Amino acid sequence: MAGSGTWWKEEVVYQIYPRSFKDSNNDGIGDIRGITEKLDYLKELGITMLWICPIYQSPMDDNGYDISDYCALAPEFGTMEDLDELIAEAGRKGIKIILDLVINHTSDEHQWFREALEHPDSGFHDYYIFREGSKPPCNWRSIFGGSVWEKVEGRDEYYFHAFGKKQPDLNWENEKLRRQLYNMVNGWLEKGIAGFRIDAITFIKKDLSFADREPDGVDGLAKCTKGSRNQPGIGAFLKELKQETFDKHGCVTVAEAPGVPYEDLDEFIGPDGYFSMIFDFRYADLDIASGSEWFKRRSWNVRELGGKIMDSQMAVQKYGWSANFIENHDQPRATTKYLKEAQDDPQAVKMLAAMYFFLRGTPFIYQGQELGMVNFERQSPELFNDISSIDQYQRSLEEGLDPDEALRIVNLRSRDNARTPFPWDGSRYGGFSQSRPWLPMTMEYPVIHAEAQSGVQDSVLEFYKSMIQFRQHGPYRDCLIYGSIRPIESSGNVIAYERQKDDVTIWCYYNFSHTGTQERLPDDAAGAVGIWGNDTDAEIRDGMLCLKPFQAILLKQDVPQSGTHS
Ligand code: NOJ
Ligand code: CA
């Protein structure tokens, strides 16, 4: 529907976690009509595309990432008519919609899986990965803890699940299954959506030897990713998926593709790549020692963060386009994670926002990020809803952490931090619902909410609006969207990069410190002036830029460069 080409480079995407965005019928659960009600808010913010997390029928063991019917919606989210209305209303406002595509696994309550269990001789049995035996075929650990193998009740047989045990992995080796999936994908695209965010897609190919690996935890298990993520041969599946579905519709695809080495980016996002863009988690997870295990933490500093971001940008720039983000429904709030004790300082929050927003790529904003929301610290492990938080708490105890430390660590990283209901106003339940929400509001919602910031000059929300406006419609739009990027040498607490297109060069500086600092500007930046920022006052002395605490500033030469037109 959206045509071919690379139109998606010009989008600003807003991610909605539908359970927590807006509850239209006051049952405590956000829903599709709630999103439609808030389209004016989104339009005013300036975003151009929505990514809506799964809304399909699901027992909600993993909040919708466990789908029991790809063609039906979860009743708590609404009806197909509600979705049609949302797509149409959003379209009228110039807002495109992408949905989540979860095709590595289904729910164990999916009809295919039920058939596979009830009729092991039917074709559905081979839609999943079963192995016979009286013990688990290998010692791999699932992402949400415990073995990847779950015993089939009453039979000496196990099925494979890379995530939760209610999320059996589909067997992509089965061609009939692949065809079924492609038909389903095409059906959704024909409905008029602009594309998909694609879940856990690098998991679809497994190392079928299922050989034991060296245990890496006190549970005697070994992380499953080495044998179940980005395995040799995955390219054939991804290529076929693209040809049979996405290519036919000119749609946008943003893949959650952890584990892709930079040298393979050409295959994934090059001119003939499988996807339009992929998320790079290397800098999002820089506080974790080993992949998805939160309790193995490591310290980091701004130089390292800047290094990882720029490595990612430079690697992607060689072949394709980035999907830039600092938050999503699996990550803690960026304020708490990246700013630590400065999380409540609006100037710092704005600086962080601008730092990632003007990188080369399509920016993604997660709901509530535009308000500067912070993590929600829970006082007891029972208060977590997220299956992975519950597992991480248990595993950290098993690994020898004391309960207070375990709770502290899970609080820092829990996916529930970002999943709290959206605070629309300061009323009871924050205007999200008139009933008690499925997950408690954050402690700060009486202060941090949309109404308190809307139209308020220096608010974080108004800053986001101005930032989006500047990228999308400002005088340097072409450079800020399409310009190349390169890092600029800077001191430890400053991240700096240059964007350049034709005769326009923009130097971007972000001071992550609560103290001022001085940076030597590139030689060609002589005469530069501040064109945008959280403080556009550029104090330059002898080629040194004096940055104020948490200042974010974009600089450009005041006079046209020689030999170029203005
Ligand atoms: C990644 C999703 O973002 C996450 O929320 C989910 O739990 C897993 N994939 C499994 O689908
Ligand atoms: Ca509802």
Side-chain angles (χ1 to χ4, degrees):
M1 52 87 55
S4 56
T6 55
W7 51 272
W8 32 267
K9 293 185 176 175
E10 300 192 359
E11 308 295 321
V12 176
V13 186
Y14 188 89
Q15 184 192 347
I16 290 191
Y17 198 66
R19 238 184 149 64
S20 292
F21 190 59
K22 169 74 184 144
D23 175 17
S24 73
N25 62 350
N26 294 312
D27 63 355
I29 300 173
D31 45 52
I32 297 168
R33 297 190 83 151
I35 304 174
T36 311
E37 274 178 29
K38 293 296 181 185
L39 282 173
D40 282 340
Y41 169 86
L42 297 167
K43 177 80 192 159
E44 207 185 304
L45 181 57
I47 59 90
T48 61
M49 187 150 85
L50 297 178
W51 151 23
I52 305 177
C53 285
I55 45 178
Y56 315 95
Q57 188 177 294
S58 161
M60 299 289 165
D61 199 57
D62 188 18
N63 289 351
Y65 284 94
D66 47 327
I67 297 172
S68 54
D69 186 343
Y70 285 111
C71 301
L73 299 181
E76 59 263 57
F77 290 147
T79 63
M80 213 47 95
E81 288 71 46
D82 294 338
L83 181 60
D84 289 338
E85 189 194 9
L86 170 61
I87 296 172
E89 279 295 311
R92 273 193 275 281
K93 293 183 194 298
I95 297 175
K96 303 179 184 76
I97 291 185
I98 63 175
L99 294 180
D100 225 300
L101 183 61
V102 189
I103 47 178
N104 173 66
H105 46 269
T106 67
S107 161
D108 64 341
E109 297 182 31
H110 194 289
Q111 192 60 26
W112 296 340
F113 193 70
R114 290 180 184 211
E115 290 287 335
L117 289 189
E118 268 170 47
H119 306 288
D121 297 330
S122 76
F124 291 108
H125 192 258
D126 195 47
Y127 275 26
Y128 294 88
I129 303 166
F130 287 96
R131 288 294 180 272
E132 283 178 8
S134 52
K135 61 178 188 47
C138 66
N139 70 342
W140 300 359
R141 182 190 307 108
S142 69
I143 304 287
F144 295 153
S147 170
V148 292
W149 296 103
E150 185 68 14
K151 192 171 176 334
V152 176
E153 230 182 87
R155 282 208 295 271
D156 273 349
E157 196 181 36
Y158 288 78
Y159 68 84
F160 181 97
H161 61 91
F163 293 88
K165 62 179 174 211
K166 282 182 68 61
Q167 293 166 296
D169 281 45
L170 288 163
N171 177 19
W172 272 70
E173 308 289 336
N174 181 309
E175 193 186 341
K176 204 163 159 217
L177 161 80
R178 298 203 304 275
R179 297 279 149 210
Q180 293 250 31
L181 292 175
Y182 304 156
N183 284 343
M184 176 275 289
V185 171
N186 285 322
W188 279 104
L189 288 169
E190 277 148 29
K191 232 180 159 15
I193 59 166
F196 291 106
R197 175 270 187 183
I198 305 167
D199 188 68
I201 197 65
T202 39
F203 282 84
I204 62 174
K205 179 95 184 174
K206 325 290 186 233
D207 169 2
L208 296 172
S209 71
F210 295 125
D212 275 348
R213 293 184 176 274
E214 187 64 36
D216 56 22
V218 295
D219 56 4
L221 301 175
K223 195 156 127 164
C224 71
T225 45
K226 285 210 173 80
S228 64
R229 202 173 71 178
N230 211 27
Q231 292 300 297
I234 193 173
F237 292 157
L238 296 177
K239 195 168 171 193
E240 185 183 83
L241 167 65
K242 175 186 181 239
Q243 282 170 350
E244 297 297 321
T245 61
F246 314 143
D247 275 356
K248 299 185 172 167
H249 300 267
C251 72
V252 64
T253 52
V254 192
E256 188 196 35
V260 176
Y262 284 149
E263 54 273 21
D264 292 352
L265 281 178
D266 194 18
E267 282 165 51
F268 278 77
I269 52 165
D272 295 317
Y274 315 128
F275 306 109
S276 316
M277 328 169 223
I278 63 175
F279 294 117
D280 184 359
F281 294 95
R282 287 173 181 83
Y283 60 91
D285 290 340
L286 92 167
D287 56 335
I288 307 175
S290 59
S292 50
E293 296 178 319
W294 305 341
F295 52 84
K296 294 182 186 163
R297 301 186 63 76
R298 56 185 298 279
S299 57
W300 57 273
N301 57 36
V302 176
R303 180 174 290 291
E304 198 185 341
L305 172 64
K308 280 191 191 291
I309 290 175
M310 293 317 299
D311 285 352
S312 171
Q313 288 277 305
M314 300 315 281
V316 173
Q317 180 165 251
K318 271 196 204 154
Y319 308 106
W321 193 250
S322 296
N324 298 320
F325 70 100
I326 47 172
E327 286 188 11
N328 65 34
H329 64 293
D330 294 332
Q331 291 284 332
R333 289 292 180 183
T335 46
T336 313
K337 180 167 68 180
Y338 295 120
L339 300 173
K340 300 177 185 165
E341 54 287 350
Q343 64 168 15
D344 299 315
D345 180 340
Q347 198 67 348
V349 176
K350 294 172 189 173
M351 180 280 300
L352 175 65
M355 185 281 295
Y356 98 98
F357 195 82
F358 291 110
L359 293 169
R360 178 180 170 278
T362 298
F364 285 68
I365 300 169
Y366 178 72
Q367 67 182 46
Q369 181 188 318
E370 77 277 24
L371 304 177
M373 287 181 77
V374 296
N375 272 3
F376 176 11
E377 211 179 304
R378 289 161 175 86
Q379 301 304 321
S380 132
E382 291 79 51
L383 298 175
F384 291 101
N385 167 278
D386 162 32
I387 44 174
S388 83
S389 304
I390 295 163
D391 166 66
Q392 294 274 338
Y393 179 76
Q394 283 313 326
R395 280 197 60 211
S396 41
L397 294 182
E398 282 162 27
E399 292 280 339
L401 264 61
D402 69 52
D404 286 348
E405 183 61 359
L407 185 61
R408 190 185 74 80
I409 280 171
V410 176
N411 262 319
L412 281 175
R413 260 278 157 185
S414 172
R415 308 195 298 178
D416 283 339
N417 281 311
R419 297 179 178 186
T420 54
F422 191 99
W424 292 100
D425 59 39
S427 67
R428 193 166 184 227
Y429 306 137
F432 164 73
S433 177
Q434 281 165 30
S435 310
R436 179 194 292 277
W438 71 279
L439 193 68
M441 312 289 301
T442 60
M443 307 305 277
E444 295 74 20
Y445 88 85
V447 185
I448 302 183
H449 57 77
E451 196 184 71
Q453 297 191 24
S454 187
V456 174
Q457 213 190 355
D458 289 330
S459 68
V460 173
L461 177 60
E462 291 302 320
F463 182 82
Y464 265 85
K465 288 185 196 169
S466 126
M467 184 166 77
I468 297 170
Q469 172 73 18
F470 193 65
R471 176 189 192 264
Q472 300 298 92
H473 308 290
Y476 311 111
R477 163 195 151 88
D478 213 35
C479 176
L480 291 172
I481 297 179
Y482 290 104
S484 60
I485 190 163
R486 70 169 189 90
I488 304 178
E489 259 318 286
S490 59
S491 59
N493 284 323
V494 171
I495 295 179
Y497 53 81
E498 178 189 290
R499 302 295 312 275
Q500 196 264 323
K501 177 138 198 323
D502 303 327
D503 57 351
V504 178
T505 305
I506 298 177
W507 297 279
C508 311
Y509 282 84
Y510 308 98
N511 182 9
F512 274 71
S513 163
H514 60 275
T515 55
T517 179
Q518 293 201 7
E519 296 298 319
R520 170 149 311 279
L521 286 170
D523 289 345
D524 49 349
V529 292
I531 53 166
W532 193 86
N534 60 6
D535 181 340
T536 48
D537 181 18
E539 200 189 320
I540 301 173
R541 270 186 256 131
D542 301 331
M544 300 293 285
L545 170 69
C546 307
L547 285 168
K548 294 179 200 153
F550 297 119
Q551 186 173 11
I553 188 163
L554 274 55
L555 303 161
K556 189 190 154 291
Q557 272 201 341
D558 201 15
V559 286
Q561 281 151 296
S562 60
T564 60
H565 55 272
S566 58

